[in-house]
Every structure is written in C-alpha cells, then in structure tokens.
Amino acid sequence: MTPSELKSRLKGIYVLAVTPMNEDLSFNPAALKNNIDSFIASGVHGIVVGGTYAEYPSLTIEERKELFQAAAEATAGRVPLLCCTAASGTYEAIELARAAKEAGADGVMVTPPYVSEVRPKDIAYHFQKLDEAAEIPILIYNSASIGVHLTPEELAELGKLPNVAGVKQGAVDLHALVRTVAYASGDISVMCGSDGLALGALASGLDGVTSTNSNFMAAEFVALYEEFGRGQNMKALERYYRWQPVRELARKYGQPAMVKAAMELVGLSAGPVRAPFQTLDMEAKRDIEHSLRTAGILE
C-alpha cells in the first residue's frame, strides 16, 4: 500500500488492539486472531497493534516482531493494519518498521523520540531518517503520554515527508485537533487519538478515531461513526453521552488493565497485564461490569 492509498483508508474507526496475554504473561496469538476477527465483524475500518496501551514498552523487540507477524496473518488484508514501531532510538524504530513491512503491515505508527532533551530539530531528523529507510507508510503518533508533544505546525511540516500518510493526534485539547486539520489535512489524514473527544473530533472534520475502548465496544464506535456520517446527530449524541460511565473507568482504574477486564466481560480474551501495570481484582471487575451495563454495552 502506498502512502496515498493508506491516507485514503485512514478514516473511520481504528481499534488500538491490546496485546492478549496467557496467564504466564506470554503473548497469546490465538486470542489476538479471535479478537481481530471480532473487530472486523463489528465493522471497524482498521486495526493498530503494539501501541502504548498494547504494552509495547514491556515487550522485547522479538516479541514486538512476533506480534506484527501474528496480526498480519490474523488481519489477512481485510482492513488496513498498522503496527506501532515507536522507539526513542531511531535505528530501533527503523528495524521495527522494516519488520512490520516484512510481516505484511500496511503502515507503521511512530511517536517522536522521547529521550531527555530531544529538540525539535532532532525529532525532525528522526522522522526524516525513518522516512528514508523504512519504505512503508507512516502514521505519526502525537502521543499525550510520552512527554514530547508536537504542535499542529510541526505536524504539518512532518506531513510533507513522502511516506507520511497521517497523524494520530493524541492532544486532548479540541482546539489543537482543529488547528491540526487546518494546517495539515491537505497533505495527510488526521485521526483523533482520544476516545473522549471522538464525536467532537468528527464534527471538527477529523477523518476518524483511533480507540482503545473499541476493544470491548467496537460495534458501538462503528455505530457512532455511521450515525454521524448519516447526519443523525441526535442519535450520535445520545450514544456518545451514554458512554460516560465507561469513560470514567479509564481514570479510575487506568489502561490497559481496565480495557482487558472489560474485554473479558464481553467475551473476548485479553488475559493479565504486565508490570508496571497490575491486573484488576474482582471488586474492580464488578464495578466495571456495572458501568458497562449502565452504558448499555452489556445487557
């Protein structure tokens, strides 16, 4: 897939798939396949694996490559697959991007480097080197959680690199999302990176939403996107605000532990989380179940 082809496909709902684990904390590829099958059956438009809440910092490089291969085999070209190849070292990011391409991914999702005192010109150099070496379309991940955040103007400049197809704008300030569309959307697709801003982002002209909560409520996110697209704004608003008890869970219990617990409740396999995260206890799981029922995710 070329960068322009991926740009045209970077729209709709992309699941930020968590990494399912066995009880011994090893990667569970069979569960990943089942989960991806479920996401696609729910109508999602793309899959992202290996992201922040997919616990990539606790995976070895070899485990990340294994994850990419398993995800490509499970997706089998049915929807675009992006592999998160974020690394603070440029050459590690290049190695992972090449592994994603070899596995059959359609693109890679990459954060800026996040070592101490990285400067704007260093970030630009990181993406330039990656763009030259990786030979695969790039989705820039403007993460809100790594301590390095790119301005809309910086994203617009990076969007001119030949292999950059889009940006996952993780800002939680709607004004930053609007400015990113204003400055960058002529060259790249702009995707919302926050579940909490999903509807506001679509109304502001972003192309789609990358969602962690869609791991356990994919059909709900697809319905929201389709209702908005049909102009059924009141239905979309009702659905969006019905989810508020679920949005509160992330603050209360943290991700990915909350997401994995919710997945198990809706019948998907996720397993435990690796340190530094902690798998939730039964009391927390009962609270999550109550919130899912209140939000209409569980009957």
Side-chain angles (χ1 to χ4, degrees), residues 142 149-156 166-171 173-191 204-206:
N142 197 32
H149 203 67
L150 302 174
T151 66
E153 292 86 351
E154 289 169 331
L155 291 169
V167 58
K168 173 188 170 182
Q169 175 54 289
D173 173 5
L174 188 58
H175 187 54
L177 273 65
V178 170
R179 293 177 68 237
T180 304
V181 172
Y183 298 149
S185 62
D187 295 311
I188 59 176
S189 173
V190 182
M191 301 285 285
S204 299
L206 278 77

